[in-house]
Amino acid sequence: MKRNYKTESEALAKAIDMAIECVEKVWPAGFNEKQKEHFVTVYLYFKELCLHSEPEFKNLQSLKSLENDVFIYFQEGKDETVELFWKRLKEEGLGFKRKNPLTAILKRRKIKNKYEYDYVTDTIVALQQEGTITESQANELKNMLGNYEMKVKNSYE
């Protein structure tokens, strides 16, 4: 089936509804009431962007960027809310897949974009503490972070 903005945005909007439903049904680990309300507010905003974008942003590339924002919590998180979300997506057959960006980053030995940079920055300490990555991998990731930062800095000079 050919991908188009309307179909993809409607699927993402359904995923956003499920994200909100899961957060309201199963309290995310470490969230307080204010954080939960903020999550819902942000995701409702994402849904609005998804379904009612300005014409210049109604394209699959912009939608992919929004999709990364929508899924970041659910790609990085490891709690009952996250597991429920992925289970619900699978039940609905929306076609979104849980990815582990760490595997691709370590294999390629390079951080290729802001989303991967943010992922590594946000998770490196926890991944090392829980034994998901070795000290050697953590050091390699730290070097990749530095290389990415230099690349970004040089692109602005």
Side-chain angles (χ1 to χ4, degrees):
M1 186 166 115
K2 190 172 186 318
R3 294 181 66 211
N4 65 55
Y5 185 87
K6 184 175 179 354
T7 305
E8 298 287 322
S9 65
E10 289 171 354
L12 186 56
K14 277 187 180 180
I16 291 167
D17 286 340
M18 282 183 229
I20 293 169
E21 169 193 314
C22 291
V23 164
E24 290 178 336
K25 187 173 186 176
V26 179
W27 200 278
F31 271 36
N32 62 36
E33 185 65 37
K34 188 174 182 180
Q35 290 167 314
K36 187 170 136 182
E37 287 172 13
H38 179 71
F39 180 97
V40 171
T41 300
V42 168
Y43 275 66
L44 289 172
Y45 173 71
F46 287 160
K47 184 176 177 182
E48 181 65 24
L49 287 176
C50 181
L51 297 175
H52 306 288
S53 284
E54 295 297 321
E56 64 268 25
F57 297 111
K58 280 194 176 186
N59 59 64
L60 292 175
Q61 185 175 345
S62 292
L63 197 60
K64 185 69 177 167
S65 179
L66 181 60
E67 182 181 314
N68 283 327
D69 291 340
V70 168
F71 285 102
I72 194 160
Y73 172 77
F74 297 99
Q75 294 289 8
E76 294 178 7
K78 291 182 182 178
D79 63 16
E80 198 178 335
T81 309
V82 170
E83 298 309 317
L84 177 62
F85 174 74
W86 289 109
K87 180 181 175 206
R88 289 281 294 121
L89 281 184
K90 188 175 182 181
E91 289 170 358
E92 292 293 322
L94 291 177
F96 296 107
K97 301 279 187 237
R98 190 170 192 175
K99 300 172 197 155
N100 182 351
L102 188 62
T103 305
I105 294 166
L106 287 169
K107 186 176 181 179
R108 127 170 50 84
R109 304 181 80 163
K110 182 178 179 183
I111 294 171
K112 70 177 185 179
N113 58 40
K114 181 182 180 336
Y115 298 104
E116 289 185 353
Y117 175 83
D118 290 344
Y119 173 79
V120 173
T121 301
D122 292 347
T123 62
I124 191 169
V125 172
L127 292 171
Q128 191 174 8
Q129 287 175 343
E130 64 192 25
T132 304
I133 60 173
T134 65
E135 185 175 341
S136 170
Q137 289 171 318
N139 289 332
E140 189 176 348
L141 288 168
K142 288 173 188 171
N143 287 333
M144 287 184 238
L145 287 170
N147 291 340
Y148 182 81
E149 289 165 358
M150 288 302 293
K151 179 181 142 191
V152 169
K153 180 182 177 218
N154 289 337
S155 71
Y156 286 112
E157 292 180 348

